[in-house]
Amino acid sequence: MRITRIAAWQVDLPLHEGSYKWSGGKSVTVFDSTVVAVETDEGITGYGEVCPLGPAYLPAYAAGVRAGLKELAPKLLGEDPTQLGKLNRVMDAALKGHPYVKSAVDVACWDVLGKKSGLPVCVLLGGRYGEDFHLYRAISQEAPDAMAANVAGYREQGYRRFQLKVGGDPDTDIQRIKAVAAVLKPGDRLVADANTGWLQHEAVRVVRAVRDVDVYIEQPCLTYEECRAIRRATDHPFVLDEVIDGLDVLVRAHADGAMDAVNLKISKLGGLTRTKQLRDLCVSLGIGMTLEDSWGGDVVTAAIAHLAHSTPTEFLFSSTDFNSYVTRSIADGAPHRKNGRLAAPLTPGLGIVPRLAEFGQPAVDVSRK
């Protein structure tokens, strides 16, 4: 099998809540996503999607996906999309860094492999554990009472894990954590995610002020060293996210005792192939995981669902359903939450079919002459 065409479409994804806010006053109202198609000489087409969380969250931006694909795609024509390890090496040789550019191509090739083999991607990733898995809900940064009300509302929809967006003024963040904790029920889990927003001395203040609250602390500061220092200053369960961008830092964090759980994002690591590598190591090391991506619509949600559903249940701390945050559906067959839980599709590949006719002309279109 050979790749004959790679095309990409720009797609806008508006939000149900109007905007999404996190640390440092950053916010997004409409997400700029890219849907990728990888066509083959056997008539099988695979699909992927990548959607950065704006240009100021990770070293990734939406227009950069399409610019990178224009550089990368011509180098992949004629390659076998079912040989995922080899294909990733070809991509790395053709484009240094920029893992988020490669992510949707990698995911699309897993979709091709699933369709070729007649198996769902979750089976190819290791097997399907259980009937479904639990989700977290990200709570956009607002006033403490408003965030508590949002948590109560989402709890009624079945969610039991909540990722609270903090990383602002420490005094307000302390109020946010306490206000939300007060509305939780037994069995709920609360994560205070600062998204690198606190300085080290501010993070120390916050963790000491909420010492008696049952809360996980996620990525309090910008650097690995600062986060490790906060980890040593608190006995709260501790999650690393933004600084975990490869196998080397994951191994270092485990050796340093710098985390109790880790957040792995598909596009930050370059696709399902690399994320699976880190996921499998975490299982071997006994590290709990949140498995997700930066953002996205139906295609990203399907890829997350297959990754999460193929992870041993006891190691899956949480996952997410980004397609429930946005007002636009972009693919048929996508998984949708039921009572705060999600299941990967049972059909071959990712199990989704993007609505390409609604997207207009592709922003990138590279094919064999």
Side-chain angles (χ1 to χ4, degrees):
M1 183 183 287
R2 302 296 174 191
I3 296 173
T4 57
R5 180 185 180 221
I6 297 176
W9 292 261
Q10 188 277 330
V11 180
D12 286 336
L13 298 175
L15 287 156
H16 282 294
E17 292 186 1
S19 67
Y20 179 76
K21 304 170 187 174
W22 69 101
S23 67
K26 295 183 281 291
S27 66
V28 172
T29 54
V30 178
F31 282 94
D32 183 343
S33 191
T34 301
V35 175
V36 172
V38 173
E39 297 183 5
T40 71
D41 60 355
E42 295 189 14
I44 297 175
T45 301
Y47 300 101
E49 180 188 6
V50 62
C51 183
L53 182 57
Y57 171 57
L58 293 172
Y61 69 107
V65 176
R66 276 122 27 207
L69 286 171
K70 290 177 182 178
E71 180 70 28
L72 179 64
K75 314 294 196 308
L76 304 181
L77 298 179
E79 294 293 331
D80 186 342
T82 67
Q83 297 185 30
L84 276 303
K86 180 182 177 183
L87 185 75
N88 272 266
R89 290 179 63 84
V90 171
M91 288 198 288
D92 289 345
L95 183 65
K96 186 77 169 178
H98 303 283
Y100 71 107
V101 172
K102 304 164 188 173
S103 178
V105 175
D106 177 81
V107 171
C109 291
W110 277 94
D111 192 24
V112 169
L113 179 61
K115 291 171 178 174
K116 174 69 174 177
S117 64
L119 295 171
V121 167
C122 62
V123 174
L124 298 173
L125 288 171
R128 189 181 183 93
Y129 289 86
E131 296 300 317
D132 54 17
F133 54 90
H134 47 237
L135 301 166
Y136 80 81
R137 191 73 185 188
I139 307 300
S140 178
Q141 194 173 98
E142 304 285 353
D145 289 346
M147 295 180 83
N150 284 341
V151 165
Y154 284 119
R155 195 179 188 284
E156 291 299 313
Q157 297 180 28
Y159 289 98
R160 294 295 179 269
R161 283 162 168 74
F162 304 96
Q163 189 188 79
L164 200 63
K165 292 303 172 182
V166 288
D169 172 69
D171 292 312
T172 306
D173 284 337
I174 292 166
Q175 295 175 36
R176 288 174 171 130
I177 294 168
K178 291 183 175 180
V180 169
V183 302
L184 297 183
K185 305 292 185 181
D188 293 349
R189 296 289 181 270
L190 178 63
V191 179
D193 184 6
N195 289 118
T196 78
W198 292 319
L199 297 176
Q200 185 172 323
H201 71 92
E202 294 173 328
V204 171
R205 281 194 60 224
V206 174
V207 298
R208 287 182 176 175
V210 299
R211 183 183 290 113
D212 296 328
V213 178
D214 183 6
V215 60
Y216 289 67
I217 303 298
E218 181 166 341
Q219 193 70 38
C221 303
L222 181 62
T223 69
Y224 174 84
E225 289 75 17
E226 290 169 315
C227 289
R228 184 178 58 186
I230 302 305
R231 168 75 168 112
R232 292 170 176 172
T234 181
D235 58 3
H236 285 297
F238 205 82
V239 185
L240 288 179
D241 178 359
E242 285 84 351
V243 296
I244 304 297
D245 57 5
L247 193 61
D248 53 347
V249 70
L250 177 67
V251 171
R252 179 187 177 193
H254 175 68
D256 288 348
M259 63 189 180
D260 299 296
V262 65
N263 186 312
L264 301 180
K265 290 181 167 65
I266 295 170
S267 62
K268 181 175 65 175
L269 297 168
L272 286 172
T273 302
R274 295 284 164 76
T275 307
K276 178 184 184 300
Q277 184 182 31
L278 272 70
R279 187 275 308 269
D280 292 346
L281 180 60
C282 285
V283 170
S284 296
L285 296 175
I287 301 169
M289 291 166 279
T290 291
L291 298 174
E292 57 166 351
D293 211 328
S294 297
W295 208 273
D298 288 321
V299 186
V300 161
T301 301
I304 293 170
H306 284 283
L307 179 65
H309 216 149
S310 65
T311 300
T313 305
E314 63 269 32
F315 293 103
L316 182 64
F317 177 64
S318 66
S319 189
T320 196
D321 58 327
F322 283 127
N323 60 355
S324 75
Y325 292 74
V326 299
T327 62
R328 183 181 184 184
S329 177
I330 62 171
D332 296 321
H336 293 279
R337 75 172 190 265
K338 293 181 180 178
N339 196 32
R341 302 179 71 86
L342 196 68
L346 293 166
T347 47
L350 292 177
I352 51 88
V353 180
R355 298 168 184 167
L356 300 182
E358 300 178 6
F359 300 166
Q361 293 299 310
V364 179
D365 197 344
V366 179
S367 59
R368 301 180 77 172
K369 303 298 184 182

